[in-house]
Amino acid sequence: MKRFGGKVALVTGAASGIGRATALRFADEGAKVFCTDVQSEEVKLTAKSAVELGAEAEARVCDVSDPGESDACVRACVDRFGRLDVLCNIAGILRFDYFDEIDIADWNRILDVNLTGTFLMCKAAIPHLLESGGNIVNTSSTSALAGLAYGAAYGASKAGVLGLTYSLAIEYGRRGVRANAVCPGSIKTPMTRGAAGLPEKIDPKLITRAMALDRPRGPEAVAGVIAMLASEDGAHINGEQIRVDGGTLS
Ligand SMILES: NC(=O)c1ccc[n+]([C@@H]2O[C@H](COP(=O)([O-])OP(=O)(O)OC[C@H]3O[C@@H](n4cnc5c(N)ncnc54)[C@H](O)[C@@H]3O)[C@@H](O)[C@H]2O)c1
C-alpha cells in the first residue's frame, strides 16, 4: 500500500537537491506531483523522472517570492489534479557575507525567497488544504537553531520559517491541517557544494562547527523525513521541527 496513493503533492524548489529528491520520493510513494521552481529545464526533468517512476507529474516555473506567481501556481496545481493534499516549501537561497557588509538588497532577497515565498505559498494553499485535510512541510535549517557565521540573513529567514510554521500549526490544527518543518544541516546539494561563495579570510573554526558529525548525507535523507511528516505516519505531529543534521547540534 503506497502512503500517498490518490494524494497530490506540490513541491517548490523541485529542480534540484532536496526539492527534487522530495518530489521523486512522493512520486515513488504514489502521489501525483506538481513540481515548481525558477529553473525551467531542470524542473521539467524532475517531472519527467517522476513520470518514469509511474506517477502523474506536472512541471511549472514559479518564483515563490512573487505573490501573483505563487497564487497562480497553486491554482494551476488544483486545476490540473483536482485537489491539493501536501505542500512542501523547499525553494531557498543561501549566500554568505560578513554581517557588517550585508547589502540591504541581498538581505531583502533572502527574506523574500526563503520566508515570504514560504508565506505566500502557504497562504495560497490553505483553502485547498482545509478542503482535503492536508498538511504543510516547510524547510527551515539548523541555522535557525544555532548561529551560522557569515549567514545572518539566511539564519533570520529560516528562524522566521519556524515561527510561521508554529503559527500555522496552532491556527489550523483543530481544522485538520497540520504544519511542520525540517531543519536540515550538511546535506550535499548544489547549494552547499564548494562552500557556496564564502567571503575571504573567514575564521574556518566558526564554519566547521556546523559540519556533520559523521558524514554529509544526500538530499534523500531529508526527503524521507519530509515524506514521513506529510504522511499518515505523521498524523499526530503538528507544529514540530525535526533536525536532519546527523547530530551536529546535539
Ligand atoms: N543543503 C543543505 O545542507 C541545507 C541545509 C539547511 C537548509 N537547506 C534548505 O533546503 C532547501 C533546499 O536546498 P538545497 O540544498 O536542495 O539547494 P538547491 O540549491 O539544490 O535547491 C534549491 C532550489 O530552490 C530553487 N529556487 C531558488 N529561488 C527560488 C525562487 N525564488 N522560487 C522558486 N524556486 C527557487 C532553486 O532553483 C533550486 O532548484 C532550501 O530551502 C535550503 O535553504 C539546505
Side-chain angles (χ1 to χ4, degrees):
M1 189 45 189
K2 296 205 169 190
R3 285 193 297 187
F4 296 104
K7 306 277 187 198
V8 176
L10 192 166
V11 180
T12 77
S16 172
I18 297 168
R20 178 166 208 278
T22 300
L24 297 183
R25 177 69 187 246
F26 276 96
D28 201 35
E29 292 209 41
K32 297 171 185 167
V33 284
F34 198 85
C35 309
T36 80
D37 202 287
V38 284
Q39 299 188 65
S40 139
E41 290 313 306
E42 290 80 356
V43 77
K44 278 188 208 151
L45 289 177
T46 301
K48 187 166 172 275
S49 301
V51 169
E52 284 162 8
L53 288 170
E56 283 184 58
E58 186 77 35
R60 182 184 173 98
V61 174
C62 167
D63 177 348
V64 293
S65 69
D66 182 298
E69 284 188 34
S70 49
D71 213 46
C73 179
V74 171
R75 252 184 293 119
C77 171
V78 175
D79 286 348
R80 170 72 170 83
F81 292 128
R83 57 187 290 137
L84 176 61
D85 298 280
V86 180
L87 169 66
C88 299
N89 285 304
I90 305 180
I93 53 172
L94 165 69
R95 63 170 282 141
F96 290 108
D97 294 286
Y98 285 110
F99 174 75
D100 57 323
E101 291 176 4
I102 298 174
D103 188 273
I104 183 69
D106 293 330
W107 170 273
N108 284 337
R109 186 65 192 147
I110 288 175
L111 285 162
D112 279 352
V113 175
N114 295 357
L115 179 56
T116 306
T118 301
F119 153 72
L120 289 170
M121 291 299 295
C122 290
K123 187 162 181 252
I126 275 290
H128 305 289
L129 296 174
L130 282 167
E131 233 171 81
S132 64
N135 68 84
I136 295 168
V137 183
N138 289 329
T139 309
S140 179
S141 161
T142 50
S143 64
L145 307 170
L148 175 66
Y150 320 112
Y154 183 77
S157 72
K158 293 298 186 178
V161 167
L162 286 187
L164 169 64
T165 305
Y166 300 147
S167 289
L168 284 168
I170 296 297
E171 207 167 322
Y172 292 100
R174 277 203 192 149
R175 295 166 69 189
V177 174
R178 298 181 293 115
N180 291 293
V182 285
C183 293
S186 302
I187 305 297
K188 275 190 289 183
T189 68
M191 181 180 277
T192 49
R193 203 168 290 149
L198 278 161
E200 283 178 10
K201 295 184 186 157
I202 57 152
D203 180 346
K205 283 195 299 297
L206 301 185
I207 290 291
T208 47
R209 67 193 276 283
M211 301 294 178
L213 278 183
D214 57 350
R215 62 184 172 84
R217 304 273 167 168
E220 295 76 17
V222 185
V225 177
I226 291 174
M228 181 280 287
L229 285 171
S231 75
E232 269 306 293
D233 292 328
H236 205 44
I237 305 178
N238 188 26
E240 185 56 276
Q241 56 83 10
I242 299 187
R243 270 194 294 125
V244 191
D245 69 345
T248 304
L249 295 194
S250 296

